[in-house]
Amino acid sequence: MLIKTRGIVLNYIKYRETSIIARIYTERLGLQTYIINGVRKAKPPGRIALFQPFTLLDLVAYTSRQGGITRLSEYRCALPFSTLPYDVHKSSVVLFLSEVVSRTLLEEEENEPLFHFLHDSILRFDQQREGFENFALIFLLELAGYLGFGAESGEEITSQVAFASAAPATSSGSSPAALRFREFDQYFNELLHTPEQSTIPNGRVRRELLDVVIRYYQLHIEKLGDIRSLDILSEVLAE
């Protein structure tokens, strides 16, 4: 059976000589895994670019009652990006967020509100020309609401992280007790309720806040693990 749907690419791995296996979050089917043949051939060029993280696709996909890996009958770029592939800061944010999303979205079922949030957030980020320094933080705080553990206040986030005895260490090695949680409460409250008025002063503080948010996610999502691309994003934030 064939079905038309929109999709958001999360990631892919190489498969055989010219193919890939891609994980795509779809509007009508939830998380799906597809084999795409011949996409890594030299000709026609550029087809692999359609499967970079967060690319928005229009798909015609095969479905199976048994689930598992299926194939695409047709695929094309739905909305070409104007900034995400060309801005180092933005592309680093996309790499980081796509890794988080790929580890948190695990269900093969339709969730239109979540799909629309992801789709619209990605488009908005691509269209922003300035004032997007806090996009990753705002995105993760809003995503937590769709995943069932959204916070109403900064204190709700920092208190859970500070007092969770099993909370993993940050990638920077800091302990929860060493973090400036009262100051972070203020920043998180701004991001949750008045993000346009955020007073986060610099990239170093943003990195610390991202560490706290990732800890918060680790408390609520079993086996989330370390987010490797956070270190790459941190290098950009430090510039």
Side-chain angles (χ1 to χ4, degrees):
M1 177 179 175
L2 290 172
I3 188 169
K4 292 183 178 180
T5 184
R6 295 187 293 177
I8 301 168
V9 178
L10 300 184
N11 53 36
Y12 74 84
I13 59 173
K14 296 177 181 178
Y15 178 68
R16 296 182 176 173
E17 187 173 349
T18 62
S19 303
I20 62 172
I21 298 176
R23 297 175 74 239
I24 300 176
Y25 193 70
T26 70
E27 185 174 19
R28 297 184 60 186
L29 301 168
L31 182 65
Q32 296 291 305
T33 303
Y34 298 110
I35 294 177
I36 301 99
N37 293 325
V39 74
R40 293 168 49 220
K41 291 180 179 179
K43 295 181 180 180
R47 296 180 71 197
I48 192 64
L50 295 177
F51 296 93
Q52 300 307 305
F54 278 2
T55 301
L56 307 176
L57 299 176
D58 286 330
L59 309 172
V60 179
Y62 290 98
T63 62
S64 170
R65 293 181 180 177
Q66 289 75 34
I69 299 176
T70 55
R71 297 178 182 271
L72 296 178
S73 173
E74 301 175 25
Y75 57 88
R76 66 180 182 85
C77 180
L79 294 163
F81 293 136
S82 60
T83 66
L84 296 190
Y86 315 111
D87 183 302
V88 173
H89 188 153
K90 284 189 172 184
S91 59
S92 298
V93 171
V94 165
L95 181 65
F96 164 67
L97 291 179
S98 64
E99 182 178 358
V100 175
V101 171
S102 69
R103 296 191 184 195
T104 56
L105 304 186
L106 304 176
E107 297 181 356
E108 294 185 2
E109 61 182 36
E110 178 183 352
N111 187 333
E112 285 194 7
L114 175 55
F115 178 89
H116 292 160
F117 162 72
L118 295 172
H119 182 276
D120 295 347
S121 296
I122 293 166
L123 275 185
R124 184 170 64 251
F125 188 38
D126 180 59
Q127 294 164 1
Q128 285 182 286
R129 300 292 176 172
E130 58 183 17
F132 52 79
E133 295 84 1
N134 299 325
F135 177 81
L137 284 163
I138 296 169
F139 178 96
L140 291 177
L141 293 174
E142 292 182 353
L143 176 62
Y146 288 91
L147 298 176
F149 54 90
E152 296 295 327
S153 69
E155 192 274 338
E156 185 178 345
I157 297 171
T158 58
S159 63
Q160 290 187 40
V161 172
F163 298 110
S165 60
T170 63
S171 56
S172 60
S174 301
S175 65
L179 299 175
R180 304 186 305 275
F181 282 120
R182 288 298 167 264
E183 180 182 352
F184 292 166
D185 285 349
Q186 171 193 338
Y187 294 141
F188 281 129
N189 282 330
E190 292 171 352
L191 293 168
L192 285 166
H193 303 296
T194 57
E196 69 282 353
Q197 300 176 20
S198 173
T199 59
I200 299 172
N202 53 50
R204 178 182 59 81
V205 175
R206 277 187 200 92
R207 166 57 194 264
E208 292 175 318
L209 293 170
L210 282 170
D211 267 328
V212 174
V213 172
I214 293 301
R215 287 170 178 261
Y216 181 69
Y217 266 66
Q218 289 168 335
L219 295 176
H220 291 273
I221 299 177
E222 186 178 2
K223 298 180 181 179
L224 178 67
D226 294 328
I227 304 300
R228 294 185 295 271
S229 55
L230 179 56
D231 289 333
I232 299 174
L233 178 60
S234 297
E235 294 179 7
V236 176
L237 291 176
E239 293 178 354

